[in-house]
PDB file of all heavy atoms in Angstrom:
ATOM      1  N   SER A   1     241.043  14.371 257.127  1.00 95.00           N
ATOM      2  CA  SER A   1     241.855  13.154 256.999  1.00 95.00           C
ATOM      3  C   SER A   1     241.241  11.963 257.726  1.00 95.00           C
ATOM      4  O   SER A   1     241.528  10.812 257.377  1.00 95.00           O
ATOM      5  CB  SER A   1     243.266  13.406 257.524  1.00 95.00           C
ATOM      6  OG  SER A   1     243.235  13.894 258.857  1.00 95.00           O
ATOM      7  N   SER A   2     240.367  12.211 258.698  1.00 94.00           N
ATOM      8  CA  SER A   2     239.703  11.111 259.417  1.00 94.00           C
ATOM      9  C   SER A   2     238.769  10.320 258.516  1.00 94.00           C
ATOM     10  O   SER A   2     238.328   9.221 258.874  1.00 94.00           O
ATOM     11  CB  SER A   2     238.924  11.658 260.621  1.00 94.00           C
ATOM     12  OG  SER A   2     237.982  12.640 260.208  1.00 94.00           O
ATOM     13  N   THR A   3     238.467  10.838 257.330  1.00 95.00           N
ATOM     14  CA  THR A   3     237.574  10.164 256.391  1.00 95.00           C
ATOM     15  C   THR A   3     238.331   9.294 255.388  1.00 95.00           C
ATOM     16  O   THR A   3     237.728   8.631 254.558  1.00 95.00           O
ATOM     17  CB  THR A   3     236.717  11.222 255.648  1.00 95.00           C
ATOM     18  OG1 THR A   3     236.141  12.112 256.612  1.00 95.00           O
ATOM     19  CG2 THR A   3     235.570  10.592 254.881  1.00 95.00           C
ATOM     20  N   ILE A   4     239.649   9.311 255.456  1.00 96.00           N
ATOM     21  CA  ILE A   4     240.448   8.499 254.532  1.00 96.00           C
ATOM     22  C   ILE A   4     240.607   7.088 255.087  1.00 96.00           C
ATOM     23  O   ILE A   4     240.983   6.900 256.244  1.00 96.00           O
ATOM     24  CB  ILE A   4     241.836   9.132 254.299  1.00 96.00           C
ATOM     25  CG1 ILE A   4     241.702  10.544 253.741  1.00 96.00           C
ATOM     26  CG2 ILE A   4     242.662   8.263 253.342  1.00 96.00           C
ATOM     27  CD1 ILE A   4     242.998  11.318 253.687  1.00 96.00           C
ATOM     28  N   ASP A   5     240.289   6.114 254.266  1.00 95.00           N
ATOM     29  CA  ASP A   5     240.495   4.710 254.616  1.00 95.00           C
ATOM     30  C   ASP A   5     241.786   4.259 253.942  1.00 95.00           C
ATOM     31  O   ASP A   5     241.822   4.042 252.733  1.00 95.00           O
ATOM     32  CB  ASP A   5     239.296   3.874 254.143  1.00 95.00           C
ATOM     33  CG  ASP A   5     239.360   2.428 254.602  1.00 95.00           C
ATOM     34  OD1 ASP A   5     240.480   1.946 254.871  1.00 95.00           O
ATOM     35  OD2 ASP A   5     238.300   1.783 254.689  1.00 95.00           O
ATOM     36  N   TRP A   6     242.836   4.110 254.734  1.00 95.00           N
ATOM     37  CA  TRP A   6     244.144   3.764 254.186  1.00 95.00           C
ATOM     38  C   TRP A   6     244.291   2.259 253.960  1.00 95.00           C
ATOM     39  O   TRP A   6     245.307   1.811 253.415  1.00 95.00           O
ATOM     40  CB  TRP A   6     245.254   4.246 255.125  1.00 95.00           C
ATOM     41  CG  TRP A   6     245.298   5.718 255.317  1.00 95.00           C
ATOM     42  CD1 TRP A   6     244.822   6.424 256.387  1.00 95.00           C
ATOM     43  CD2 TRP A   6     245.828   6.704 254.419  1.00 95.00           C
ATOM     44  NE1 TRP A   6     245.031   7.778 256.221  1.00 95.00           N
ATOM     45  CE2 TRP A   6     245.650   7.975 255.018  1.00 95.00           C
ATOM     46  CE3 TRP A   6     246.450   6.632 253.169  1.00 95.00           C
ATOM     47  CZ2 TRP A   6     246.071   9.154 254.409  1.00 95.00           C
ATOM     48  CZ3 TRP A   6     246.861   7.819 252.560  1.00 95.00           C
ATOM     49  CH2 TRP A   6     246.669   9.058 253.174  1.00 95.00           C
ATOM     50  N   ASN A   7     243.287   1.485 254.399  1.00 93.00           N
ATOM     51  CA  ASN A   7     243.421   0.027 254.385  1.00 93.00           C
ATOM     52  C   ASN A   7     242.747  -0.645 253.192  1.00 93.00           C
ATOM     53  O   ASN A   7     243.328  -1.522 252.561  1.00 93.00           O
ATOM     54  CB  ASN A   7     242.867  -0.554 255.695  1.00 93.00           C
ATOM     55  CG  ASN A   7     243.660  -0.075 256.899  1.00 93.00           C
ATOM     56  OD1 ASN A   7     244.884  -0.090 256.882  1.00 93.00           O
ATOM     57  ND2 ASN A   7     242.959   0.365 257.936  1.00 93.00           N
ATOM     58  N   ILE A   8     241.504  -0.264 252.882  1.00 93.00           N
ATOM     59  CA  ILE A   8     240.798  -0.895 251.769  1.00 93.00           C
ATOM     60  C   ILE A   8     241.419  -0.447 250.448  1.00 93.00           C
ATOM     61  O   ILE A   8     241.603   0.753 250.209  1.00 93.00           O
ATOM     62  CB  ILE A   8     239.292  -0.560 251.807  1.00 93.00           C
ATOM     63  CG1 ILE A   8     238.619  -1.250 253.005  1.00 93.00           C
ATOM     64  CG2 ILE A   8     238.605  -0.978 250.512  1.00 93.00           C
ATOM     65  CD1 ILE A   8     237.127  -1.002 253.106  1.00 93.00           C
ATOM     66  N   LYS A   9     241.739  -1.386 249.599  1.00 89.00           N
ATOM     67  CA  LYS A   9     242.410  -1.083 248.329  1.00 89.00           C
ATOM     68  C   LYS A   9     241.452  -1.053 247.143  1.00 89.00           C
ATOM     69  O   LYS A   9     241.731  -0.424 246.131  1.00 89.00           O
ATOM     70  CB  LYS A   9     243.509  -2.121 248.065  1.00 89.00           C
ATOM     71  CG  LYS A   9     244.527  -2.250 249.185  1.00 89.00           C
ATOM     72  CD  LYS A   9     245.252  -0.954 249.469  1.00 89.00           C
ATOM     73  CE  LYS A   9     246.286  -1.111 250.576  1.00 89.00           C
ATOM     74  NZ  LYS A   9     246.907   0.178 250.948  1.00 89.00           N
ATOM     75  N   ASP A  10     240.315  -1.739 247.255  1.00 93.00           N
ATOM     76  CA  ASP A  10     239.369  -1.865 246.145  1.00 93.00           C
ATOM     77  C   ASP A  10     238.006  -1.351 246.605  1.00 93.00           C
ATOM     78  O   ASP A  10     237.493  -1.788 247.640  1.00 93.00           O
ATOM     79  CB  ASP A  10     239.264  -3.329 245.722  1.00 93.00           C
ATOM     80  CG  ASP A  10     238.484  -3.512 244.422  1.00 93.00           C
ATOM     81  OD1 ASP A  10     237.580  -2.695 244.155  1.00 93.00           O
ATOM     82  OD2 ASP A  10     238.769  -4.473 243.694  1.00 93.00           O
ATOM     83  N   HIS A  11     237.426  -0.429 245.842  1.00 94.00           N
ATOM     84  CA  HIS A  11     236.147   0.168 246.250  1.00 94.00           C
ATOM     85  C   HIS A  11     235.029  -0.861 246.373  1.00 94.00           C
ATOM     86  O   HIS A  11     234.031  -0.634 247.063  1.00 94.00           O
ATOM     87  CB  HIS A  11     235.737   1.297 245.297  1.00 94.00           C
ATOM     88  CG  HIS A  11     235.317   0.840 243.932  1.00 94.00           C
ATOM     89  ND1 HIS A  11     234.075   0.316 243.669  1.00 94.00           N
ATOM     90  CD2 HIS A  11     235.986   0.856 242.748  1.00 94.00           C
ATOM     91  CE1 HIS A  11     233.986   0.028 242.387  1.00 94.00           C
ATOM     92  NE2 HIS A  11     235.133   0.338 241.802  1.00 94.00           N
ATOM     93  N   LYS A  12     235.204  -2.018 245.717  1.00 93.00           N
ATOM     94  CA  LYS A  12     234.180  -3.067 245.832  1.00 93.00           C
ATOM     95  C   LYS A  12     234.113  -3.643 247.243  1.00 93.00           C
ATOM     96  O   LYS A  12     233.138  -4.311 247.599  1.00 93.00           O
ATOM     97  CB  LYS A  12     234.456  -4.182 244.822  1.00 93.00           C
ATOM     98  CG  LYS A  12     234.297  -3.734 243.372  1.00 93.00           C
ATOM     99  CD  LYS A  12     234.647  -4.848 242.398  1.00 93.00           C
ATOM    100  CE  LYS A  12     234.558  -4.360 240.949  1.00 93.00           C
ATOM    101  NZ  LYS A  12     234.992  -5.410 239.996  1.00 93.00           N
ATOM    102  N   ASP A  13     235.145  -3.388 248.043  1.00 94.00           N
ATOM    103  CA  ASP A  13     235.177  -3.891 249.414  1.00 94.00           C
ATOM    104  C   ASP A  13     234.562  -2.913 250.417  1.00 94.00           C
ATOM    105  O   ASP A  13     234.482  -3.218 251.603  1.00 94.00           O
ATOM    106  CB  ASP A  13     236.623  -4.197 249.826  1.00 94.00           C
ATOM    107  CG  ASP A  13     237.223  -5.346 249.023  1.00 94.00           C
ATOM    108  OD1 ASP A  13     236.464  -6.266 248.662  1.00 94.00           O
ATOM    109  OD2 ASP A  13     238.437  -5.313 248.749  1.00 94.00           O
ATOM    110  N   ILE A  14     234.144  -1.751 249.939  1.00 95.00           N
ATOM    111  CA  ILE A  14     233.478  -0.797 250.843  1.00 95.00           C
ATOM    112  C   ILE A  14     232.077  -1.317 251.167  1.00 95.00           C
ATOM    113  O   ILE A  14     231.314  -1.645 250.257  1.00 95.00           O
ATOM    114  CB  ILE A  14     233.357   0.597 250.188  1.00 95.00           C
ATOM    115  CG1 ILE A  14     234.735   1.173 249.881  1.00 95.00           C
ATOM    116  CG2 ILE A  14     232.579   1.559 251.097  1.00 95.00           C
ATOM    117  CD1 ILE A  14     234.691   2.466 249.086  1.00 95.00           C
ATOM    118  N   PRO A  15     231.714  -1.404 252.441  1.00 93.00           N
ATOM    119  CA  PRO A  15     230.354  -1.828 252.777  1.00 93.00           C
ATOM    120  C   PRO A  15     229.343  -0.733 252.423  1.00 93.00           C
ATOM    121  O   PRO A  15     229.371   0.352 253.006  1.00 93.00           O
ATOM    122  CB  PRO A  15     230.408  -2.064 254.289  1.00 93.00           C
ATOM    123  CG  PRO A  15     231.539  -1.217 254.772  1.00 93.00           C
ATOM    124  CD  PRO A  15     232.527  -1.155 253.646  1.00 93.00           C
ATOM    125  N   ILE A  16     228.491  -0.990 251.447  1.00 95.00           N
ATOM    126  CA  ILE A  16     227.491  -0.008 251.014  1.00 95.00           C
ATOM    127  C   ILE A  16     226.185  -0.273 251.756  1.00 95.00           C
ATOM    128  O   ILE A  16     225.572  -1.335 251.613  1.00 95.00           O
ATOM    129  CB  ILE A  16     227.255  -0.069 249.491  1.00 95.00           C
ATOM    130  CG1 ILE A  16     228.558   0.222 248.738  1.00 95.00           C
ATOM    131  CG2 ILE A  16     226.146   0.910 249.082  1.00 95.00           C
ATOM    132  CD1 ILE A  16     229.099   1.619 248.904  1.00 95.00           C
ATOM    133  N   GLU A  17     225.784   0.691 252.531  1.00 94.00           N
ATOM    134  CA  GLU A  17     224.585   0.549 253.357  1.00 94.00           C
ATOM    135  C   GLU A  17     223.323   0.518 252.494  1.00 94.00           C
ATOM    136  O   GLU A  17     223.150   1.353 251.602  1.00 94.00           O
ATOM    137  CB  GLU A  17     224.525   1.726 254.337  1.00 94.00           C
ATOM    138  CG  GLU A  17     223.364   1.695 255.305  1.00 94.00           C
ATOM    139  CD  GLU A  17     223.398   2.879 256.261  1.00 94.00           C
ATOM    140  OE1 GLU A  17     224.325   3.718 256.162  1.00 94.00           O
ATOM    141  OE2 GLU A  17     222.493   2.965 257.107  1.00 94.00           O
ATOM    142  N   GLU A  18     222.463  -0.433 252.768  1.00 95.00           N
ATOM    143  CA  GLU A  18     221.134  -0.463 252.152  1.00 95.00           C
ATOM    144  C   GLU A  18     220.123  -0.171 253.251  1.00 95.00           C
ATOM    145  O   GLU A  18     220.006  -0.914 254.228  1.00 95.00           O
ATOM    146  CB  GLU A  18     220.845  -1.813 251.505  1.00 95.00           C
ATOM    147  CG  GLU A  18     219.519  -1.827 250.752  1.00 95.00           C
ATOM    148  CD  GLU A  18     219.329  -3.052 249.867  1.00 95.00           C
ATOM    149  OE1 GLU A  18     220.272  -3.865 249.758  1.00 95.00           O
ATOM    150  OE2 GLU A  18     218.237  -3.184 249.277  1.00 95.00           O
ATOM    151  N   ARG A  19     219.386   0.912 253.085  1.00 94.00           N
ATOM    152  CA  ARG A  19     218.523   1.390 254.158  1.00 94.00           C
ATOM    153  C   ARG A  19     217.059   1.003 253.930  1.00 94.00           C
ATOM    154  O   ARG A  19     216.680   0.463 252.894  1.00 94.00           O
ATOM    155  CB  ARG A  19     218.671   2.912 254.305  1.00 94.00           C
ATOM    156  CG  ARG A  19     220.083   3.308 254.775  1.00 94.00           C
ATOM    157  CD  ARG A  19     220.197   4.781 255.085  1.00 94.00           C
ATOM    158  NE  ARG A  19     219.252   5.209 256.086  1.00 94.00           N
ATOM    159  CZ  ARG A  19     219.428   5.066 257.402  1.00 94.00           C
ATOM    160  NH1 ARG A  19     220.523   4.494 257.875  1.00 94.00           N
ATOM    161  NH2 ARG A  19     218.512   5.501 258.249  1.00 94.00           N
ATOM    162  N   ASN A  20     216.253   1.326 254.921  1.00 93.00           N
ATOM    163  CA  ASN A  20     214.834   0.971 254.926  1.00 93.00           C
ATOM    164  C   ASN A  20     214.120   1.482 253.672  1.00 93.00           C
ATOM    165  O   ASN A  20     214.310   2.626 253.253  1.00 93.00           O
ATOM    166  CB  ASN A  20     214.184   1.566 256.185  1.00 93.00           C
ATOM    167  CG  ASN A  20     212.809   1.017 256.453  1.00 93.00           C
ATOM    168  OD1 ASN A  20     211.939   1.059 255.592  1.00 93.00           O
ATOM    169  ND2 ASN A  20     212.600   0.505 257.646  1.00 93.00           N
ATOM    170  N   SER A  21     213.282   0.636 253.090  1.00 95.00           N
ATOM    171  CA  SER A  21     212.568   1.004 251.867  1.00 95.00           C
ATOM    172  C   SER A  21     211.622   2.178 252.082  1.00 95.00           C
ATOM    173  O   SER A  21     211.306   2.908 251.142  1.00 95.00           O
ATOM    174  CB  SER A  21     211.785  -0.197 251.340  1.00 95.00           C
ATOM    175  OG  SER A  21     210.797  -0.600 252.271  1.00 95.00           O
ATOM    176  N   GLU A  22     211.165   2.395 253.317  1.00 95.00           N
ATOM    177  CA  GLU A  22     210.230   3.494 253.598  1.00 95.00           C
ATOM    178  C   GLU A  22     210.840   4.862 253.327  1.00 95.00           C
ATOM    179  O   GLU A  22     210.120   5.830 253.111  1.00 95.00           O
ATOM    180  CB  GLU A  22     209.720   3.420 255.033  1.00 95.00           C
ATOM    181  CG  GLU A  22     208.567   2.454 255.230  1.00 95.00           C
ATOM    182  CD  GLU A  22     207.789   2.718 256.500  1.00 95.00           C
ATOM    183  OE1 GLU A  22     208.035   3.756 257.162  1.00 95.00           O
ATOM    184  OE2 GLU A  22     206.926   1.887 256.836  1.00 95.00           O
ATOM    185  N   GLU A  23     212.173   4.955 253.357  1.00 94.00           N
ATOM    186  CA  GLU A  23     212.797   6.230 253.043  1.00 94.00           C
ATOM    187  C   GLU A  23     212.479   6.657 251.611  1.00 94.00           C
ATOM    188  O   GLU A  23     212.424   7.855 251.316  1.00 94.00           O
ATOM    189  CB  GLU A  23     214.315   6.149 253.235  1.00 94.00           C
ATOM    190  CG  GLU A  23     214.752   6.010 254.674  1.00 94.00           C
ATOM    191  CD  GLU A  23     216.265   6.005 254.840  1.00 94.00           C
ATOM    192  OE1 GLU A  23     216.975   5.890 253.820  1.00 94.00           O
ATOM    193  OE2 GLU A  23     216.723   6.119 255.983  1.00 94.00           O
ATOM    194  N   LEU A  24     212.269   5.675 250.729  1.00 95.00           N
ATOM    195  CA  LEU A  24     211.900   5.963 249.343  1.00 95.00           C
ATOM    196  C   LEU A  24     210.391   6.028 249.141  1.00 95.00           C
ATOM    197  O   LEU A  24     209.879   6.896 248.443  1.00 95.00           O
ATOM    198  CB  LEU A  24     212.485   4.888 248.417  1.00 95.00           C
ATOM    199  CG  LEU A  24     213.908   5.101 247.912  1.00 95.00           C
ATOM    200  CD1 LEU A  24     214.399   3.860 247.201  1.00 95.00           C
ATOM    201  CD2 LEU A  24     213.978   6.301 246.980  1.00 95.00           C
ATOM    202  N   SER A  25     209.695   5.085 249.751  1.00 95.00           N
ATOM    203  CA  SER A  25     208.258   4.940 249.469  1.00 95.00           C
ATOM    204  C   SER A  25     207.390   5.939 250.211  1.00 95.00           C
ATOM    205  O   SER A  25     206.217   6.109 249.884  1.00 95.00           O
ATOM    206  CB  SER A  25     207.791   3.521 249.816  1.00 95.00           C
ATOM    207  OG  SER A  25     207.985   3.254 251.194  1.00 95.00           O
ATOM    208  N   HIS A  26     207.956   6.615 251.213  1.00 95.00           N
ATOM    209  CA  HIS A  26     207.191   7.585 251.996  1.00 95.00           C
ATOM    210  C   HIS A  26     207.933   8.920 252.037  1.00 95.00           C
ATOM    211  O   HIS A  26     209.162   8.953 251.980  1.00 95.00           O
ATOM    212  CB  HIS A  26     206.984   7.083 253.428  1.00 95.00           C
ATOM    213  CG  HIS A  26     206.070   5.900 253.540  1.00 95.00           C
ATOM    214  ND1 HIS A  26     206.395   4.660 253.020  1.00 95.00           N
ATOM    215  CD2 HIS A  26     204.839   5.769 254.110  1.00 95.00           C
ATOM    216  CE1 HIS A  26     205.410   3.814 253.269  1.00 95.00           C
ATOM    217  NE2 HIS A  26     204.451   4.463 253.924  1.00 95.00           N
ATOM    218  N   VAL A  27     207.186   9.997 252.133  1.00 93.00           N
ATOM    219  CA  VAL A  27     207.786  11.326 252.308  1.00 93.00           C
ATOM    220  C   VAL A  27     207.119  12.028 253.478  1.00 93.00           C
ATOM    221  O   VAL A  27     205.959  11.751 253.816  1.00 93.00           O
ATOM    222  CB  VAL A  27     207.648  12.208 251.036  1.00 93.00           C
ATOM    223  CG1 VAL A  27     208.451  11.632 249.901  1.00 93.00           C
ATOM    224  CG2 VAL A  27     206.193  12.413 250.648  1.00 93.00           C
ATOM    225  N   GLU A  28     207.875  12.927 254.098  1.00 91.00           N
ATOM    226  CA  GLU A  28     207.348  13.741 255.188  1.00 91.00           C
ATOM    227  C   GLU A  28     207.266  15.191 254.751  1.00 91.00           C
ATOM    228  O   GLU A  28     208.100  15.673 253.980  1.00 91.00           O
ATOM    229  CB  GLU A  28     208.239  13.633 256.427  1.00 91.00           C
ATOM    230  CG  GLU A  28     208.046  12.373 257.225  1.00 91.00           C
ATOM    231  CD  GLU A  28     208.810  12.413 258.542  1.00 91.00           C
ATOM    232  OE1 GLU A  28     209.569  13.386 258.761  1.00 91.00           O
ATOM    233  OE2 GLU A  28     208.655  11.472 259.348  1.00 91.00           O
ATOM    234  N   GLY A  29     206.266  15.887 255.266  1.00 92.00           N
ATOM    235  CA  GLY A  29     206.127  17.309 254.980  1.00 92.00           C
ATOM    236  C   GLY A  29     205.048  17.926 255.834  1.00 92.00           C
ATOM    237  O   GLY A  29     204.408  17.236 256.656  1.00 92.00           O
ATOM    238  N   LEU A  30     204.851  19.220 255.644  1.00 92.00           N
ATOM    239  CA  LEU A  30     203.829  19.925 256.410  1.00 92.00           C
ATOM    240  C   LEU A  30     202.487  19.853 255.694  1.00 92.00           C
ATOM    241  O   LEU A  30     202.408  20.081 254.488  1.00 92.00           O
ATOM    242  CB  LEU A  30     204.225  21.390 256.604  1.00 92.00           C
ATOM    243  CG  LEU A  30     205.476  21.676 257.439  1.00 92.00           C
ATOM    244  CD1 LEU A  30     205.748  23.173 257.476  1.00 92.00           C
ATOM    245  CD2 LEU A  30     205.323  21.136 258.854  1.00 92.00           C
TER     246      LEU A  30
END
C-alpha cells in the first residue's frame, strides 16, 4: 500500500524519470 499514490489523479502528472544515456549506449559484462 505504500506504493499507492492517492493524490495524483491523472497519470500524465506522474514524474517520469529520464536517466543517463550511457545506460543504453554502454553495457557491462565479464
Side-chain angles (χ1 to χ4, degrees):
S1 55
S2 57
T3 311
I4 302 171
D5 186 336
W6 298 101
N7 297 314
I8 291 181
K9 305 301 181 185
D10 190 330
H11 71 79
K12 294 177 183 176
D13 294 327
I14 298 173
I16 300 294
E17 182 179 0
E18 185 168 355
R19 294 187 57 82
N20 193 306
S21 63
E22 278 199 9
E23 291 183 348
L24 273 171
S25 61
H26 291 66
V27 294
E28 282 188 354
L30 295 178

